[in-house]
Amino acid sequence: MIKCYFIGEGSDIDDVKKLVEKHPFAELIDDHGTGQPVLEEIFAKKPQVLFVDFAMRKTIKKALTRLMQFSAIIYMSVTPSDAFEAFEDGAIDYMSYPVRSKRFEVCMSKIVRLSLNRTSFLQEVPEHGLDSFFINVDAKGKTELLINSNEILMIEAIENHILLTMVEGRKHVCFNTMKEMEEYLPNYLIRVHKSFIINYRKVSEVKGPLLTLKGNTQKIPIGVTYRKAFTEKKNEMTIGKKNVKRF
């Protein structure tokens, strides 16, 4: 979940808080009204996103400079022309009041994408990985698609892009890296080769250094680098196996 913190008060901000509370990837951890915020308190909560009322900008500008070290800043105001100064200050996005749900979704899609790309902020990832996430499905990053992790059969690196094969057979090309994918996926989606991540729950056969997935005839190689970890995981589910046995 992406931890969100609000600075400012008013009915417009309350409406945005409600949008955060409804979002599947967002969590409202706390807020601060008017006046100078106590930095130590905010640092302790480690918010990944700060939603800031633009009217507070001058009052807390120095504090925001420090908070930007680990948090993405989203400015909000009633005046659209404030957007220029917001981006000049280093904000990740700007939204004008009243914030509509569609505009909020665009903002959160950007935040989720930054989280997947593992920028300097947004680095907290659930231990179990993400249950769903957005991928870039065009080279310019303008189109994103929501993927449910449990629907992935395998992920294959092909030249400068990645091919996701879903359980029911659909395929999606995306322009994230294998490393980005691996860091954010649940533990049942494991790397078995420099070019392959597979859904371990869908393995139907292992024959030497090759494996096959349910509903798919492709023989997937198990790279030398990944064999020990794969064998240990396989042996956990093999009757009579007490020790690790390598290929």
Side-chain angles (χ1 to χ4, degrees):
M1 298 291 284
I2 296 174
K3 296 180 179 179
C4 302
Y5 191 102
F6 280 76
I7 298 178
E9 60 184 15
S11 59
D12 286 323
I13 281 191
D14 289 339
D15 289 341
V16 181
K17 288 178 184 177
K18 292 176 183 177
L19 292 173
V20 168
E21 291 172 341
K22 293 178 181 178
H23 198 276
F25 300 141
E27 176 188 4
L28 175 58
I29 58 171
D30 209 343
D31 58 17
H32 175 84
T34 58
Q36 189 71 25
V38 180
L39 283 181
E40 288 70 21
E41 292 181 3
I42 301 179
F43 278 129
K45 295 181 183 296
K46 297 181 180 179
Q48 295 161 288
V49 180
L50 288 172
F51 289 89
V52 182
D53 188 284
F54 197 78
M56 297 284 293
R57 172 175 168 266
K58 292 183 178 180
T59 304
I60 63 172
K61 191 169 184 178
K62 289 184 178 179
L64 287 175
T65 300
R66 290 187 59 192
L67 292 169
M68 281 181 183
Q69 296 174 17
F70 62 87
S71 299
I73 306 296
I74 310 294
Y75 275 122
M76 303 173 294
S77 80
V78 295
T79 310
S81 59
D82 290 336
F84 177 78
E85 289 185 72
F87 288 116
E88 283 288 297
D89 281 1
I92 295 302
D93 206 349
Y94 166 86
M95 299 188 293
S96 59
Y97 298 133
V99 178
R100 306 301 182 188
S101 59
K102 188 173 181 179
R103 177 64 184 89
F104 177 76
E105 286 297 332
V106 171
C107 175
M108 288 307 298
S109 292
K110 180 185 292 188
I111 295 300
V112 172
R113 184 176 71 250
L114 289 171
S115 178
L116 183 60
N117 290 339
R118 206 172 182 84
T119 52
S120 59
F121 44 79
L122 305 178
Q123 293 190 3
E124 182 169 325
V125 184
E127 291 182 3
H128 65 279
L130 296 176
D131 295 326
S132 56
F133 55 90
F134 285 92
I135 59 172
N136 298 323
V137 292
D138 68 73
K140 295 182 179 180
K142 293 183 178 180
T143 305
E144 298 165 334
L145 183 68
L146 182 64
I147 297 292
N148 293 320
S149 298
N150 63 0
E151 295 178 2
I152 297 172
L153 182 68
M154 67 178 178
I155 303 170
E156 181 179 2
I158 304 175
E159 296 182 352
N160 65 338
H161 63 272
I162 288 174
L163 180 66
L164 278 74
T165 299
M166 311 305 287
V167 171
E168 80 286 2
R170 287 181 298 120
K171 296 180 184 291
H172 302 294
V173 173
C174 77
F175 293 85
N176 297 99
T177 68
M178 290 291 274
K179 183 177 180 181
E180 290 168 353
M181 302 294 286
E182 188 178 17
E183 288 179 347
Y184 283 82
L185 293 171
N187 56 15
Y188 56 84
L189 289 165
I190 63 173
R191 190 91 174 253
V192 296
H193 187 274
K194 66 178 181 179
S195 300
F196 289 95
I197 293 173
I198 59 112
N199 186 335
Y200 187 78
R201 295 173 177 173
K202 301 299 180 182
V203 173
S204 62
E205 182 183 70
V206 179
K207 191 172 182 179
L210 298 173
L211 64 85
T212 306
L213 299 172
K214 294 177 183 178
N216 192 285
T217 58
Q218 183 175 351
K219 301 294 183 181
I220 299 173
I222 305 169
V224 175
T225 304
Y226 305 93
R227 286 184 189 176
K228 181 178 179 181
F230 178 81
T231 304
E232 289 175 347
K233 193 170 186 66
K234 177 173 68 69
N235 285 348
E236 291 175 1
M237 300 176 64
T238 303
I239 296 175
K241 290 285 187 180
K242 294 183 179 180
N243 301 309
V244 173
K245 181 179 180 182
R246 299 186 183 181
F247 294 121

